[in-house]
């Protein structure tokens, strides 16, 4: 098995275990998130912004429906503020995952992949194919977090990582927050189309 797939699979198992724990305890459900947004809408805007950014950061560990967080951000904050907030939250989460991979990735990699040849192959191949993985990462749950961690672990240059992250995530943030800004909680059709 290719080293990138091997480490991605092991990280996915870890994130799936966390997902099962959150679902078992009923944490971070869509209904809870909607209630938080609804209750915070009468508070200063900083509350809504904090909820969006906080949920994006929590998505690093717990699988939170970020598409709905983005749609709610567009609905409750409006398109401009929602887009800026979502992009900031996604960027902070990506930077945190990248830095965690940079800082503790080698120690984790030594435990997950024991062969020096496979570790070298992981580094080399991710530097070649990782940009595509980062560009497309929002298309599947848990793939963004795994991609960001492997990017840090592979020592992908930060500027290159951020370039491909922004190319892939600006359209995502634009579409979801715009769809949310054009929707209503009782008629979410633009959000569903988006």
């Amino acid at each position: 098995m290719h080293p990138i797939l091997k480490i991605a699979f092991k990280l996915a198992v870890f994130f799936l275990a966390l997902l099962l724990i959150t679902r078992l305890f009923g944490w971070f459900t869509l209904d809870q998130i909607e209630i938080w947004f609804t209750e915070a809408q009468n508070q200063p805007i900083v509350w809504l912004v904090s909820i969006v950014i906080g949920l994006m950061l929590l998505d690093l560990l717990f699988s939170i429906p970020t598409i709905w967080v983005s749609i709610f951000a567009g609905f409750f904050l409006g398109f401009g503020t929602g887009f800026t907030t979502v992009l900031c939250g996604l960027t902070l989460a990506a930077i945190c995952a990248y830095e965690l991979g940079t800082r503790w990735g080698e120690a984790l990699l030594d435990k997950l992949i024991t062969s020096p040849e496979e570790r070298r192959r992981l580094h080399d191949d991710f530097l070649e194919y990782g940009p595509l993985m980062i560009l497309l990462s929002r298309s599947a749950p848990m793939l963004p977090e795994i991609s960001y961690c492997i990017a840090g672990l592979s020592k992908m240059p930060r500027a290159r990582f951020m370039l491909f992250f922004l190319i892939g995530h600006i359209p995502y943030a634009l579409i979801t927050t715009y769809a949310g800004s054009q929707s209503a909680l009782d008629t979410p059709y633009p959000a569903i189309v988006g």
Side-chain angles (χ1 to χ4, degrees):
M1 180 184 282
H2 194 281
I4 290 176
L5 295 176
K6 190 182 289 188
I7 192 130
F9 177 75
K10 291 176 180 180
L11 288 172
V13 168
F14 171 74
F15 287 122
L16 276 172
L18 288 175
L19 172 65
L20 291 174
I21 290 169
T22 59
R23 295 306 179 254
L24 181 67
F25 288 105
W27 300 337
F28 309 118
T29 64
L30 186 57
D31 292 335
Q32 283 180 334
I33 293 169
E34 184 179 343
I35 289 168
W36 296 341
F37 274 94
T38 304
E39 289 180 0
Q41 73 179 344
N42 297 323
Q43 303 299 322
I45 196 168
V46 71
W47 284 94
L48 286 168
V49 170
S50 298
I51 289 171
V52 172
I53 292 174
L55 287 171
M56 296 293 181
L57 287 169
L58 283 171
D59 186 49
L60 287 175
L61 284 178
F62 307 106
S63 190
I64 293 172
T66 54
I67 192 165
W68 283 104
V69 172
S70 301
I71 288 168
F72 287 151
F75 176 74
F76 286 100
L77 292 168
F79 173 62
T81 305
F83 166 73
T84 305
T85 303
V86 166
L87 190 59
C88 285
L90 291 171
T91 303
L92 284 173
I95 290 169
C96 287
Y98 177 90
E99 293 302 329
L100 287 170
T102 301
R103 181 164 173 94
W104 288 297
E106 284 298 325
L108 179 64
L109 190 60
D110 288 341
K111 292 178 179 153
L112 296 176
I113 299 177
T114 55
S115 165
E117 172 65 27
E118 284 189 342
R119 284 199 303 269
R120 186 191 54 72
R121 187 173 172 207
L122 171 80
H123 287 279
D124 295 345
D125 287 352
F126 192 82
L127 290 177
E128 185 175 345
Y129 303 111
L132 181 62
M133 202 169 158
I134 294 166
L135 279 172
L136 302 175
S137 65
R138 277 285 145 201
S139 63
M142 292 181 272
L143 187 57
E145 296 79 16
I146 293 168
S147 301
Y148 309 155
C149 289
I150 296 175
L153 177 125
S154 299
K155 307 291 190 265
M156 177 183 273
R158 282 176 180 82
R160 187 168 191 227
F161 168 71
M162 288 308 301
L163 172 69
F164 287 103
F165 167 81
L166 290 171
I167 291 170
H169 288 69
I170 287 175
Y172 170 85
L174 281 169
I175 291 167
T176 56
T177 53
Y178 181 75
S181 71
Q182 300 302 307
S183 299
L185 292 179
D186 54 346
T187 56
Y189 302 114
I192 292 168
V193 171

